Amino acid sequence: MKEILFLEPVFKEMIWGGDRMKAEYQYPIPSDHTGECWAISAHPNGDCKISNGTYKGQSLSQLWEEHKELFGGLSGDRFPLLIKIIDAKQDLSIQVHPNDIYAKEHENGSLGKTECWYILDCEEGTEIVIGHHAKDKEEVKDMIEQKRWKDFIRTVPLKKGDFFQINPGCVHAIKGGTLILETQQNSDITYRVYDYDRLSNGKPRELHVERSIAVIEAPFEEVRGDRAKKEYDGYTIEHLVSSPYYTVEKVDITKEATFSQTHSFQNISIIDGKGEINGNPIKKGDHFILPAEFGSYTIKGEISYITSYVEK
Ligand code: ZN
């Protein structure tokens, strides 16, 4: 019988972070400026440790190196995904990510970054930055260099349960009052386009204007996720997105459901409720991996989760 790999989150303090993850998930956050919880991560900047069983105390990156069988022998030199919860008390800077090709060449062999956001909660009237209004690359450059932010930045209204796929080259930012679950490629490469002219310790934070201009796609094209919902007896599965890097789904269980884990691995993040999986207690805020060949599992309880996996 394969073991479920429960993970210990790594917390990141950020100038824009808050204290919400303490009340929401009972996390032992380090301060009231905690912006990110790296929940399933093998990235060197926040490598999660296994909290149970045979591999207790080992890092996810170590398992990836030494126990390839847990990941179905998936190729690649690093665990491919990174799952975060982000608590934005203040607006985040406006950013863009490179693709794999640009990152490999300009960022020391790093992966590019494709990511997606499930909105766990947001304050009434909150907006989100997705895309821009420039008609072509030339206008992107002009608007950024001339600091025409109002003309440039595209915002849309936001509500709980919304979902956004953010491809490399897409300008994006979450605003204060937003709590999200992010599923992304295992990369930490971000180019800051604009930081609302804020000061951090008396100085503006570094911007990456040239790299941003180089990677921003123009014109902006909205990616609409296919949110097909399938209802079964006692549970529903909602497809959020399939991309070359990940497939993400939301599952809501009302009483009990039995599934089979047939992917190279499967990430699960409990976003609401509590219950059990194969007899192990699980609750809101837990994150775990079902390894390769895990086989059948039964989840009981009233519980919602976001799950992700990669296609072989
Ligand atoms: Zn991003």
Side-chain angles (χ1 to χ4, degrees), residues 206-225:
E206 189 193 357
L207 300 179
H208 313 94
V209 173
E210 267 174 44
R211 286 177 190 206
S212 297
I213 291 169
V215 304
I216 291 171
E217 296 279 343
F220 166 69
E221 281 173 44
E222 189 165 16
V223 185
R224 288 230 168 249

Side-chain angles (χ1 to χ4, degrees), residues 95 97 113 115 117 172 182:
Q95 322 187 331
H97 305 296
K113 189 164 161 189
E115 67 190 32
W117 293 343
H172 61 280
E182 179 175 81

Side-chain angles (χ1 to χ4, degrees), residues 120-219:
L120 295 166
D121 200 13
C122 64
E123 284 168 11
E124 182 98 28
T126 307
E127 294 188 315
I128 196 161
V129 174
I130 302 283
H132 61 76
H133 296 296
K135 63 181 187 301
D136 53 27
K137 244 1 217 186
E138 197 57 35
E139 202 173 44
V140 168
K141 192 167 182 286
D142 288 349
M143 284 177 158
I144 291 176
E145 286 176 357
Q146 295 160 16
K147 304 186 189 303
R148 289 160 56 202
W149 305 116
K150 281 221 163 68
D151 296 336
F152 181 62
I153 294 161
R154 176 181 180 269
T155 55
V156 292
L158 192 65
K159 62 181 190 310
K160 184 176 174 172
D162 280 349
F163 178 80
F164 299 92
Q165 164 75 359
I166 296 157
N167 288 324
C170 174
V171 173
H172 61 280
I174 53 176
K175 294 195 167 230
T178 313
L179 186 70
I180 69 168
L181 185 129
E182 179 175 81
T183 303
Q184 56 159 97
Q185 277 181 280
N186 182 2
S187 162
D188 205 15
I189 307 291
T190 292
Y191 300 147
R192 202 175 284 137
V193 184
Y194 174 53
D195 196 30
Y196 302 97
D197 300 317
R198 290 180 293 194
L199 300 179
S200 166
N201 298 321
K203 283 183 299 206
R205 292 198 292 171
E206 189 193 357
L207 300 179
H208 313 94
V209 173
E210 267 174 44
R211 286 177 190 206
S212 297
I213 291 169
V215 304
I216 291 171
E217 296 279 343

Side-chain angles (χ1 to χ4, degrees), residues 33-54:
H33 281 85
T34 305
E36 299 189 349
C37 160
W38 291 27
I40 302 180
S41 165
H43 194 280
N45 295 350
D47 199 354
C48 295
K49 289 205 160 71
I50 310 302
S51 66
N52 68 307
T54 308

Side-chain angles (χ1 to χ4, degrees), residues 73-109:
L74 205 63
S75 64
D77 63 354
R78 65 203 99 182
F79 181 74
L81 299 180
L82 205 172
I83 314 298
K84 290 180 190 173
I85 293 176
I86 301 178
D87 169 21
K89 190 166 186 182
Q90 312 283 337
D91 295 351
L92 269 73
S93 61
I94 294 177
Q95 322 187 331
V96 64
H97 305 296
N99 61 23
D100 287 342
I101 298 164
Y102 189 93
K104 191 170 183 209
E105 194 180 328
H106 298 267
E107 300 293 347
N108 215 4

